[in-house]
Amino acid sequence: MQRAETVLSIIHERGKRGLPLKNLYRPLYNPELYLRAYAKLYSNDGAMTPGVTQETVDAMSTKKIEKLIDDLRHERYRWTPVRRVYIEKKNSMKKRPLGMPSWTDKLLQEAIRQLLEAYYEPKFSPSSHGFRAERGCHTALSEIAHQWIGTRWYIEGDVKGCFDNIDHEIGLGILKESIHDNRFLRLIRHLLQAGYLEDWHYHNTLSGTPQGSIVSPVLANIYLDKLDKFVETELLPQYNQGKLRQINPAYDSIGKRMRKCRKRGQFKEAKELRKQLQQLPSRKTHDEHYRRLRYIRYADDWLLGFAGSREEAEEIKQKLKVFLRDYLKLELSEEKTLITHASTQAARFLGYELVTLQADDKHDHNGRRCINASVALRLPLDVLQKKCALYMQRGQPASRPELMQDDDFTTINQYQSECGRNAEQAAWRGAARTLCPGLFHKFGYC
């Protein structure tokens, strides 16, 4: 039998070349695939959490793998219903449903996830960043900050109850386009329809992929890849026009006068004209022949950046709403799908506020305006206030008497462990510096 790495690399290559898979069920007989799955799962906190049975990672053995493979070979494996619990939803009074599969189901789901990810990863859009290897929130935000220059409107998108409302037949139809193996598709269908137990009452799952399921993220990405392809093949070509904005006539006129003054040696007049130049945009801000549309998605949250008119932004939003409703049977959340003016308002995406900067008085070392039309990622004020409130009393920074007996190095490490090094919590480090600036300078923390 081939090594698991070899099998996955062959599947990956077929995905890269756009070739269909005719036999994806047989690789599930490979014991090494389950050993890889075990290595991925055994250290997770949920490995010791039981589902509807008491089975956990404890007492795992090769005999369990052999039995699982034998059941699959004879097509007698049956998925158990997941145990449903509810967890607190951030910034909401509602609770999020979470499914707890049994251990054997987790092991098989991880094996399936490896196969699907190997095949679909090279087929996925580069605009998708959620639940993918070497991609995540940081890559999505970095792309926005570095490539979305000149954005005028942000269209924030959110699919209402995306994971709970994925249509099984549409999802299986999408899989059938590339996977020509009825046994594998039947296994996925039974997984989706396995149901759940809540307060020991059984409920059918007529739609959706269970949250908490290991294979749900990749199935959701396969489903929403249709949205990515629609945006890239339909909307982006339609709303991307022109190579550059036209030069602003007023800016061009003053620029010519300034250069003439320099040639004549009238440097004082040229300096005054340069000040006027830096109060004007160098190119037309409302160029009828220039449009730019950019798109990014993380799981079921997506964002469009548009340089154009508000009317066209509304038109784009409606086209997305119609596509989601008619082709994917998903509903756009009206209260969370907003159109935001990039220069005067802030859009929320992945926990950050996005704004397009405009400051004529910010210059580089050559005296040129350097931040106009750039995208800034800002920490939301409510997040900052909530974080700082933990370390304040009556609106002022509070002392930490429990740290008084610690040495300087231990105190600094304590601050670093609490505030971390990511950009979202940089504001707290600034507050910490005000409390003990000497310590931060002494140890070189920044």
Side-chain angles (χ1 to χ4, degrees):
M1 185 169 285
Q2 288 180 315
R3 297 287 305 274
E5 290 91 344
T6 305
V7 173
L8 294 174
S9 65
I10 292 171
I11 292 172
H12 181 82
E13 186 61 29
R14 291 190 70 85
K16 188 185 294 185
R17 295 168 60 188
L19 300 174
L21 287 174
K22 297 183 179 180
N23 193 350
L24 196 57
Y25 193 82
R26 190 174 182 81
L28 293 173
Y29 303 161
N30 192 325
E32 193 173 323
L33 196 64
Y34 299 97
L35 294 177
R36 288 168 58 95
Y38 172 77
K40 176 82 173 177
L41 298 176
Y42 83 94
S43 60
N44 293 348
D45 293 336
M48 290 297 292
T49 304
V52 295
T53 67
Q54 293 302 309
E55 182 191 22
T56 64
V57 67
D58 195 25
M60 179 62 187
S61 66
T62 55
K63 288 185 178 180
K64 285 189 176 183
I65 295 176
E66 291 170 1
K67 183 180 184 306
L68 172 58
I69 292 173
D70 187 60
D71 289 343
L72 288 169
R73 193 186 300 273
H74 295 91
E75 295 191 56
R76 59 172 177 254
Y77 186 82
R78 296 294 178 266
W79 300 96
T80 57
V82 298
R83 179 171 65 90
R84 174 167 284 190
V85 297
Y86 290 88
I87 58 175
E88 297 292 335
K89 201 172 182 180
K90 189 176 180 181
N91 301 325
S92 176
M93 297 297 291
K94 298 179 181 179
K95 292 188 176 182
R96 187 189 305 276
L98 187 66
M100 299 289 187
S102 64
W103 168 251
T104 303
D105 283 1
K106 288 180 183 177
L107 198 67
L108 179 54
Q109 284 187 39
E110 173 59 24
I112 291 172
R113 186 200 65 79
Q114 291 181 48
L115 296 174
L116 290 175
E117 191 175 87
Y119 181 69
Y120 280 99
E121 182 61 31
K123 296 164 68 75
F124 283 149
S125 164
S127 301
S128 169
H129 291 259
F131 309 122
R132 294 183 62 187
E134 300 181 5
R135 285 172 175 261
C137 295
H138 290 88
T139 57
L141 292 168
S142 178
E143 182 177 325
I144 293 171
H146 292 101
Q147 298 182 21
W148 288 31
I149 297 172
T151 297
R152 186 172 179 81
W153 300 98
Y154 291 113
I155 307 171
E156 308 169 55
D158 183 83
V159 179
K160 186 180 291 186
C162 178
F163 284 87
D164 295 330
N165 293 308
I166 287 178
D167 188 274
H168 290 171
E169 295 305 320
I170 294 176
L172 289 167
I174 293 171
L175 289 174
K176 285 179 184 178
E177 293 175 6
S178 300
I179 300 174
H180 303 166
D181 187 334
N182 289 330
R183 290 194 299 172
F184 184 85
L185 294 171
R186 198 156 49 242
L187 185 67
I188 297 295
R189 180 186 291 276
H190 291 160
L191 166 64
L192 295 174
Q193 298 176 348
Y196 64 93
L197 288 183
E198 185 175 345
D199 296 330
W200 298 107
H201 288 89
Y202 176 79
H203 301 269
N204 289 316
T205 48
L206 304 177
S207 65
T209 57
Q211 295 196 35
S213 167
I214 293 168
V215 80
S216 284
V218 68
L219 290 176
N221 267 342
I222 294 169
Y223 197 87
L224 292 175
D225 186 62
K226 290 295 182 182
L227 172 63
D228 301 340
K229 295 296 190 292
F230 169 73
V231 173
E232 292 171 351
T233 59
E234 299 289 336
L235 297 184
L236 295 188
Q238 184 178 353
Y239 291 96
N240 278 314
Q241 302 173 14
K243 292 185 178 180
L244 291 172
R245 295 178 187 270
Q246 294 180 11
I247 294 175
N248 182 4
Y251 182 92
D252 189 44
S253 176
I254 295 175
K256 288 177 180 177
R257 288 165 54 197
M258 182 187 69
R259 288 188 289 272
K260 286 181 181 179
C261 288
R262 284 178 177 171
K263 287 181 180 179
R264 295 171 184 166
Q266 299 172 342
F267 297 110
K268 185 176 180 180
E269 291 81 353
K271 187 175 181 181
E272 290 300 322
L273 289 170
R274 180 173 176 77
K275 288 181 180 178
Q276 294 180 36
L277 273 184
Q278 293 189 333
Q279 301 300 316
L280 296 172
S282 61
R283 296 184 179 273
K284 287 184 178 180
T285 55
H286 300 282
D287 187 348
E288 296 179 357
H289 304 288
Y290 180 88
R291 297 288 184 274
R292 278 295 177 274
L293 181 63
R294 301 178 178 94
Y295 167 76
I296 208 160
R297 179 176 64 83
Y298 185 93
D300 59 338
D301 293 328
W302 47 266
L303 184 72
L304 286 161
F306 183 55
S309 66
R310 170 73 187 234
E311 291 74 19
E312 289 173 307
E314 291 282 359
E315 187 180 285
I316 292 167
K317 175 183 171 181
Q318 288 303 313
K319 288 183 178 180
L320 285 165
K321 180 179 179 179
V322 170
F323 174 83
L324 287 169
R325 183 192 64 205
D326 294 349
Y327 292 91
L328 297 181
K329 294 187 179 179
L330 294 174
E331 183 181 355
L332 205 61
S333 175
E334 289 292 341
E335 61 273 14
K336 294 183 180 179
T337 304
L338 308 173
I339 297 178
T340 307
H341 190 265
S343 299
T344 59
Q345 299 171 290
R348 279 282 188 103
F349 188 64
L350 300 181
Y352 282 84
E353 288 185 345
L354 309 178
V355 294
T356 299
L357 299 175
Q358 179 69 36
D360 292 329
D361 58 340
K362 299 293 184 182
H363 300 152
D364 60 14
H365 63 281
N366 292 321
R368 297 175 179 174
R369 291 172 290 182
C370 57
I371 68 169
N372 286 358
S374 298
V375 177
L377 306 179
R378 292 179 177 172
L379 177 66
L381 183 60
D382 58 330
V383 176
L384 173 61
Q385 291 173 339
K386 186 177 180 180
K387 181 68 177 179
C388 289
L390 300 174
Y391 305 96
M392 300 178 72
Q393 290 181 357
R394 299 173 185 173
Q396 297 295 326
S399 61
R400 302 287 298 274
E402 68 273 17
L403 302 178
M404 290 180 64
Q405 303 303 318
D406 294 340
D407 57 39
D408 293 347
F409 185 79
T410 304
T411 302
I412 291 296
N413 276 342
Q414 179 68 19
Y415 273 115
Q416 290 293 336
S417 67
E418 290 185 18
C419 70
R421 289 188 173 275
N422 58 54
E424 184 177 346
Q425 297 171 333
W428 164 238
R429 293 205 300 275
R433 285 193 197 90
T434 64
L435 296 177
C436 49
L439 298 184
F440 273 78
H441 177 74
K442 178 178 178 180
F443 289 102
Y445 282 87
C446 58

